[in-house]
Amino acid sequence: MAPARDDARTSTPIGAERDPRRVVAFSDGVIAIAITLLVLEIRPPEDTRDLLKGLGELWPSYTAYGITFLLIGQMWVNHHVMFDHIHSADRLVLLLNTLLLMHIAFLPFASAVLAGAFESGHGERTAIVFYGISYVGAAILFNVIWEYARHGRRLLAPTIDVAGARAISRRFRPAPVWIAVGTGLGVLHPLLGLVLVAAFIPFYWLPIKGEIASVKRARESLP
């Protein structure tokens, strides 16, 4: 049976499978740069005669910074959740991961647009839709990468069983819908839409119990 498995891997049209550690290292670098760039979008008040008032008026920038920082941090955590259990990456995984990083690198700009609209009081609806679409794309790519990797378990490590893989899928699947609903609500009421998107943060920082149980079972089965 083992030789047949090896033959199936070498004959795959997607390309050779590679150690994903370089994928993770490169991704960590891109995410670190994106999350650091966020603070550069907060501009100090030009008029310092009433500095306290000027700093207070920057609340949209602080809000956009905080929400986006935590969301990108959340993506970093969930990226590690995926690649802790993906033992090899073929060319399609590399492509999908590159597209995911492209979305993440774009988020500081989307955050700046959101903050600018709320600070000026104009274009808030367009800004929340623009911001939401940026996140929906990333959330969809998370699902696509994970579902592709776990299909047939060809790319998954033995550290996770079927139940654990399903638990991760159950956590990832609601994300695009959740953000899309928040974006849609933002068309009607921008601030409420932003609150709904922000409510996404605490839920997705929770540990995935099924994944934890799966890893524990795998460790206990080791000799």
Side-chain angles (χ1 to χ4, degrees):
M1 296 299 292
R5 183 179 176 87
D6 291 340
D7 290 343
R9 288 191 173 192
T10 55
S11 63
T12 176
I14 307 301
E17 294 172 13
R18 295 174 170 84
D19 189 323
R21 285 180 292 184
R22 291 185 64 187
V23 178
V24 173
F26 177 67
S27 302
D28 283 350
V30 172
I31 293 171
I33 292 171
I35 207 168
T36 302
L37 289 175
L38 288 172
V39 74
L40 299 181
E41 299 300 334
I42 303 178
R43 308 293 183 184
E46 295 182 1
D47 187 356
T48 59
R49 287 174 295 181
D50 192 348
L51 186 57
L52 183 61
K53 180 182 177 182
L55 290 172
E57 290 174 347
L58 291 175
W59 70 265
S61 292
Y62 306 144
T63 302
Y65 168 79
I67 292 173
T68 309
F69 194 102
L70 290 174
L71 284 170
I72 294 179
Q74 191 177 83
M75 291 181 182
W76 173 72
V77 170
N78 286 326
H79 191 272
H80 276 275
V81 168
M82 287 197 300
F83 281 91
D84 282 348
H85 304 300
I86 295 176
H87 74 88
S88 58
D90 60 18
R91 292 187 74 85
L92 185 54
V93 169
L94 298 179
L95 172 61
L96 293 171
N97 191 73
T98 300
L99 294 175
L100 174 61
L101 295 178
M102 182 175 71
H103 277 77
I104 293 174
F106 187 76
L107 292 176
F109 174 69
S111 178
V113 170
L114 182 70
F118 276 88
E119 285 175 3
S120 68
H122 302 288
E124 296 101 323
R125 288 176 172 81
T126 300
I128 191 67
V129 170
F130 184 70
Y131 187 75
I133 289 174
S134 302
Y135 275 107
V136 168
I140 290 173
L141 283 164
F142 264 101
N143 279 275
V144 172
I145 293 171
W146 179 248
E147 293 303 323
Y148 172 72
R150 85 179 187 98
H151 180 70
R153 296 189 56 83
R154 185 172 61 87
L155 301 180
L156 291 189
T159 54
I160 191 165
D161 57 22
V162 174
R166 286 175 180 167
I168 294 174
S169 293
R170 285 194 299 270
R171 176 61 62 86
F172 285 179
R173 283 172 185 165
V177 177
W178 189 326
I179 299 174
V181 171
T183 302
L185 180 60
V187 175
L188 303 174
H189 195 296
L191 192 56
L192 285 181
L194 185 60
V195 168
L196 184 57
V197 172
F200 179 84
I201 295 171
F203 175 74
Y204 274 84
W205 273 100
L206 294 172
I208 304 172
K209 294 181 180 179
E211 179 215 5
I212 295 172
S214 176
V215 173
K216 184 177 180 181
R217 286 192 296 269
R219 288 174 178 172
E220 290 173 348
S221 65
L222 293 175

